Structures are given as C-alpha cells and as structure tokens.
C-alpha cells in the first residue's frame, strides 16, 4: 500500500496560504532603438512645413515695401528740397550782388553829378566874378570920361553909349549864364539819367 504524504493531508484539512511573489530586481530601462526619421523631400514647400512663419512673412512683405517706398520718397523730397534751397540761396546771393552793384552805381552817379555840378558852379562863379570886374572897370573908365566932358551934348552922348554898352553886356552875360546853367543841368543829369535807364532795363527784364 502506498503511503500518504503527510503534507497532502494538511492541505486537505486547511487552506494553503498564498505564496509571496519574489520582487523583481530593479532593471535599468533599455533605450528604445533609434528609428530613422523620414527624410523631407528637398522640394517641400516652407509654407507647408511652417504655415505660421510663411503667413507672417507674407504679412511683413507689404510693410517692408511701404517702408522702402516711404524712405525713397523722403530721400527724393529731401534731395529736391536741398536743390531748391541751394537754388534759392544762389538766386538770393546773385540778387543781393546785383542790388549791391546797382546801389554802388547809383552812388557813383550821384558823386559824379555832384562833381560836375561843383565844377559847373565854380565856372559860373568865375565868369560872374570876371563880368563884375569888367563892369567895374568899364564904369570907372566911363566916370573918368564924364569928368573930362566939356559940353552937355558930349555928356549925353557918353552917357547913352555907356548905357547901351552896359545893357548889351548884361544881355550877353545873361544869355551866357543861361546857356551855362542849361548845359550844367544836362551834364549833372547825365549820370543820373544813365542809372535811371539801367533801372528801367532791369525792371523790364524782371517782368
């Protein structure tokens, strides 16, 4: 007869406690094998890969163009302004020089007229002095002749001759003075008339 195992008896009599699982030893995680990434085709569009970047680039392009256009326009305006300012300065400088030359010419004309007038009046004064001296000499000689007369007829004849000669001398001197004054006036006005003609010509050209 076969012998019964005493452990088998005990098993039938009471439930067998569950055996504890032995804890597995700590193992380092094994890295997953590297997988090759799919190569992107060289013809891939950037907008398909980076849609946000492409959209931002498209939005900034008009802004950059606007800035470039505005900068170019500003540079053109500044250049035009500089050219106009330079031209205005040159024109003003030229006008200032012309005004200075014209004023200088006017002053020179006035000085020249003054010199002519001074010389003319000096000549007229010398002629008047000469006429006065001659008149005095003629009057003195006539008085001597009056003192030597012996008859009334001779006296009246001498007086008539003296008055006639004195009147003729006065008329001649007056005519001479008138001609001298008229000539002097023309000579004095000549430089001023020339400057007036120059001024009229400038006004005509400016219009």
């Amino acid at each position: 007869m076969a012998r019964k195992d005493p452990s088998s008896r005990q098993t039938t009599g009471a439930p067998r406690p569950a055996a504890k699982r032995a804890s597995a030893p700590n193992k380092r995680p094994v890295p997953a094998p590297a997988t090759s990434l799919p190569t992107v085709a060289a013809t891939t569009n950037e907008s398909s890969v980076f849609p946000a970047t492409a959209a931002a680039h498209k939005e900034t392009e008009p802004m950059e163009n606007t800035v470039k256009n505005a900068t170019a326009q500003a540079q053109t305006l500044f250049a035009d302004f500089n050219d106009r300012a330079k031209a205005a300065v040159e024109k003003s400088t030229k006008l200032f020089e012309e005004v200075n030359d014209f004023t200088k010419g006017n002053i020179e004309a006035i000085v020249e007229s003054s010199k002519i007038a001074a010389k003319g009046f000096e000549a007229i004064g010398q002629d008047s002095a000469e006429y006065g001296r001659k008149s005095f000499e003629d009057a003195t000689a006539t008085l001597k002749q009056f003192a030597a007369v012996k008859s009334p007829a001779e006296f009246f004849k001498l007086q008539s001759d003296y008055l006639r000669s004195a009147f003729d001398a006065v008329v001649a001197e007056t005519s001479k003075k008138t001609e001298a004054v008229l000539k002097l006036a023309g000579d004095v006005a000549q430089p001023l008339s020339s400057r007036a003609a120059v001024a009229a010509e400038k006004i005509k050209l400016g219009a």
Side-chain angles (χ1 to χ4, degrees):
M1 253 172 105
R3 294 179 68 184
K4 294 184 180 179
D5 190 1
S7 59
S8 61
R9 286 188 221 166
Q10 291 176 359
T11 303
T12 56
R16 201 170 184 181
K20 292 183 180 180
R21 291 184 179 180
S23 59
N26 292 332
K27 293 182 179 181
R28 293 183 180 179
V30 179
T35 57
S36 60
L37 295 174
T39 57
V40 180
T43 57
T44 304
N45 191 359
E46 185 181 357
S47 60
S48 61
V49 180
F50 304 107
T53 304
H57 183 66
K58 286 183 179 180
E59 290 179 358
T60 55
E61 258 184 15
M63 186 179 297
E64 291 178 357
N65 294 333
T66 303
V67 171
K68 289 181 180 178
N69 293 334
T71 304
Q73 290 178 359
Q75 290 177 351
T76 303
L77 289 175
F78 285 144
D80 183 59
F81 177 78
N82 289 335
D83 293 340
R84 293 189 180 211
K86 185 178 179 181
V89 169
E90 291 177 354
K91 186 176 180 181
S92 300
T93 304
K94 185 178 179 181
L95 181 62
F96 183 72
E97 291 177 354
E98 290 180 355
V99 170
N100 280 342
D101 293 339
F102 182 72
T103 305
K104 183 180 178 182
N106 291 341
I107 294 173
E108 290 176 352
I110 293 172
V111 171
E112 185 66 20
S113 296
S114 301
K115 289 180 179 179
I116 294 172
K119 289 181 179 179
F121 284 122
E122 183 181 359
I124 292 173
Q126 289 176 355
D127 291 341
S128 297
E130 181 66 21
Y131 172 75
R133 185 185 64 79
K134 188 175 182 303
S135 297
F136 178 77
E137 290 178 353
D138 291 343
T140 302
T142 303
L143 286 176
K144 288 180 180 180
Q145 290 177 1
F146 279 142
V149 295
K150 296 178 180 179
S151 64
E154 188 179 355
F155 176 81
F156 286 115
K157 182 179 181 302
L158 182 60
Q159 183 182 19
S160 176
D161 291 341
Y162 172 73
L163 291 177
R164 186 174 58 251
S165 64
F167 179 77
D168 290 342
V170 169
V171 171
E173 185 66 20
T174 303
S175 177
K176 183 179 178 181
K177 290 285 191 302
T178 302
E179 291 178 0
V181 170
L182 291 176
K183 184 177 182 302
L184 177 61
D187 293 341
V188 170
Q190 181 61 37
L192 301 178
S193 300
S194 300
R195 297 309 301 172
V198 172
E201 186 67 21
K202 286 185 177 295
I203 294 173
K204 183 178 179 181
L205 292 176

